[in-house]
Amino acid sequence: MNSLISLDRLRFLFNRFSERLWVRPLAVCFLSIAAVFAAKLIDGSVVANQMPSIAQDSVETLLSLLASSMLVIATFSVGSMVSAYAAASSSATPRAFSLVVADDVSQNALSTFVGAFIFSVVALTAVKNAFYNQAGLFSLFVLTTIVFAVVILTFVRWVDNIARLGRVGSTIEKVEKATENAFIRRRDKPRLGGISVSDITSKGVDVFSPTIGYVQHIDMATLQDWAQRVDAHVVVSALPGTLTTADKPLASVHMLSSALSNIDCTGLIKSFHIGHDRTFEDDPRFGLVTLSEIAARALSPAVNDPGTAIKVTGSLVRLISLIDQPEQTESKPKYDRIAIPEVALQDMFDDAFTAIARDGAGVIEVCIRLQKALSSLESLNNKEIKKAAQYHRRLALKRACNVLDIEEDLIAIKKAAREDKSM
């Protein structure tokens, strides 16, 4: 029997928590309070008499300075982060908001500032009430000095990061990185550790979800356990990123020894984590859609930034090229009761290049870069990629020729498409 809490499930839950701004500050607050009381432990130790003496006023002065400054800096950091989040949503796309919120540097900075404030307030209260002896007071002085150093280093690093947070270039890099991780996971496990759909030849019974939303994660371990208990095979119909509605099944159940009417499918339905929004971790197509939206917004007349669309095109080429790299698949499927369809490459190309080709059809530099990018993908040693790239290259050329009306532009784009001799 498989564990009901798999590593994939823990990864998914951890990533959801990382998008909550309160998680790290709360943890650091508890750590700060624990550090204040831990300093008292030195008073009862064997080395208490060997600690140097230190004036209580000096510790109070440091703690007062820390307490008065940290609240201001924490408030300032929150305001700067909110402005960066708003900039990311307006200049790039709202779909990238979760990645900007989960920025490690900003969350660590906010946690450090809030934690230092809590530490200083609690420690100052303890000092003024004579909670420490001489050894504990010295330990608190050392801790306060360390906190000061951490705050300064964190602030310097955070200032450099906040200048970039929310900018289009930084957002593109975050989306590309998240999409790259999803691509690698799907490349190494194209069927999420399950078997091929072609291995199931019997006719199954569809199971529908009572919830309307997007499939964010499939708990394969729980689904495998359920299939073993009811002695059935499950063919997944709704991959992560699929919108579930009343007419679209989550999966079909192929019973081996009993009728489906005798089976409780609650365990199967609970294996699908459904939410209101798509997520990046298990949905590589969502990353492509997000990058394409950034490029489409940059190509709008209000923005008119073809350079961003060109940058996104390069990111898309790098991501799709990952599929052509050697796979690191398991020799034996881990979940032999679950059949998973692979993501269609044609769908990935539609997500990635349709909007750019449509909105950039009248911008010659974007058209040329798109032709070169698709030609590069067409040269890869993968028949499916070659076929999809060839289709979109010709479609992009057709769109451009339908919009451009200057002969020199038409000649340039046909040359880039390597079709100038035949047209």
Side-chain angles (χ1 to χ4, degrees):
M1 181 179 295
N2 291 294
S3 173
L4 296 184
I5 303 181
S6 63
L7 292 177
D8 270 351
R9 178 67 173 174
L10 290 175
R11 171 184 56 81
F12 176 78
L13 294 176
F14 177 80
N15 287 331
R16 299 286 70 73
F17 270 109
S18 69
E19 296 173 2
R20 302 290 190 269
L21 281 178
W22 57 267
V23 174
R24 293 189 192 182
L26 181 62
V28 174
C29 285
F30 285 125
L31 182 62
S32 301
I33 296 173
V36 172
F37 288 97
K40 175 65 177 177
L41 299 178
I42 198 69
D43 283 331
S45 66
V46 295
V47 296
N49 295 328
Q50 301 176 7
M51 291 294 176
S53 299
I54 188 169
Q56 180 174 327
D57 290 343
S58 63
V59 179
E60 289 184 4
T61 301
L62 284 175
L63 291 173
S64 298
L65 179 61
L66 196 62
S68 59
S69 60
M70 282 303 97
L71 184 59
V72 176
I73 294 178
T75 304
F76 169 72
S77 68
V78 171
S80 300
M81 290 166 64
V82 171
S83 299
Y85 300 154
S89 296
S90 61
S91 62
T93 172
R95 256 59 62 191
F97 177 76
S98 61
L99 296 178
V100 180
V101 169
D103 178 69
D104 287 335
V105 177
S106 295
Q107 287 205 12
N108 290 339
L110 180 61
S111 302
T112 300
F113 301 150
V114 174
F117 173 73
I118 298 298
F119 169 83
S120 59
V121 170
V122 176
L124 187 61
T125 303
V127 169
K128 286 184 176 296
N129 286 276
F131 181 68
Y132 300 102
N133 295 330
Q134 191 61 44
L137 199 62
F138 178 77
S139 299
L140 184 63
F141 173 77
V142 173
L143 281 175
T144 305
T145 306
I146 293 174
V147 170
F148 257 109
V150 171
V151 166
I152 293 172
L153 292 175
T154 301
F155 183 77
V156 172
R157 185 186 178 205
W158 176 73
V159 167
D160 179 71
N161 182 74
I162 200 66
R164 298 175 176 82
L165 188 65
R167 300 296 184 265
V168 176
S170 174
T171 304
I172 292 174
E173 291 175 2
K174 291 181 184 299
V175 175
E176 182 179 351
K177 181 61 179 177
T179 309
E180 178 184 347
N181 294 335
F183 260 84
I184 292 175
R185 282 194 295 270
R186 186 57 62 89
R187 182 199 65 195
D188 295 343
K189 292 183 178 180
R191 291 178 289 275
L192 304 180
I195 61 177
S196 175
V197 175
S198 60
D199 294 340
I200 308 298
T201 57
S202 60
K203 185 177 181 180
V205 179
D206 291 335
V207 177
F208 298 85
S209 170
T211 305
I212 297 178
Y214 291 98
V215 176
Q216 296 178 340
H217 176 73
I218 302 176
D219 193 340
M220 297 290 288
T222 301
L223 191 57
Q224 171 80 3
D225 180 74
W226 180 87
Q228 288 178 337
R229 284 190 287 107
V230 302
D231 193 22
H233 281 110
V234 177
V235 178
V236 172
S237 303
L239 290 174
T242 302
L243 177 65
T244 61
T245 56
D247 61 331
K248 293 183 179 179
L250 286 178
S252 60
V253 180
H254 301 250
M255 304 303 301
L256 301 180
S257 59
S258 60
L260 182 62
S261 57
N262 302 325
I263 302 300
D264 182 11
C265 293
T266 303
L268 182 150
I269 295 173
K270 288 184 176 180
S271 301
F272 291 79
H273 191 284
I274 298 174
H276 291 214
D277 301 302
R278 297 173 72 173
T279 57
F280 290 91
E281 289 81 19
D282 300 313
D283 183 8
R285 290 183 59 187
F286 183 50
L288 298 178
V289 170
T290 303
L291 287 170
S292 182
E293 285 184 357
I294 295 174
R297 176 167 291 190
L299 290 170
S300 65
V303 179
N304 191 24
D305 180 19
T308 294
I310 292 173
K311 180 179 177 65
V312 169
T313 302
S315 298
L316 294 172
V317 172
R318 283 192 294 271
L319 291 170
I320 295 179
S321 297
L322 291 173
I323 303 175
D324 192 51
Q325 295 180 6
E327 300 178 4
Q328 299 176 359
T329 55
E330 297 176 341
S331 57
K332 182 180 180 181
K334 185 177 181 181
Y335 307 108
D336 57 358
R337 294 273 182 159
I338 310 171
I340 303 284
E342 297 184 24
V343 180
L345 274 172
Q346 184 63 50
D347 293 339
M348 289 187 178
F349 272 80
D350 292 342
D351 295 333
F353 297 109
T354 299
I356 299 177
R358 180 195 63 224
D359 297 337
V363 184
I364 182 61
E365 56 265 41
V366 175
C367 294
I368 292 176
R369 177 60 63 183
L370 187 59
Q371 290 295 326
K372 292 181 178 180
L374 290 169
S375 295
S376 175
L377 292 174
E378 191 177 344
S379 65
L380 296 178
N381 189 26
N382 185 303
K383 292 183 179 180
E384 291 186 60
I385 293 179
K386 186 186 297 290
K387 181 179 178 181
Q390 188 177 49
Y391 169 78
H392 274 272
R393 183 171 60 83
R394 291 177 176 175
L395 183 60
L397 178 62
K398 187 175 181 180
R399 291 181 187 275
C401 291
N402 191 48
V403 174
L404 296 173
D405 52 6
I406 298 179
E407 183 179 356
E408 286 78 6
D409 289 344
L410 292 173
I411 293 175
I413 190 173
K414 290 177 181 179
K415 181 180 180 180
R418 298 184 302 180
E419 293 184 7
D420 54 316
K421 293 183 179 180
S422 59
M423 297 185 63

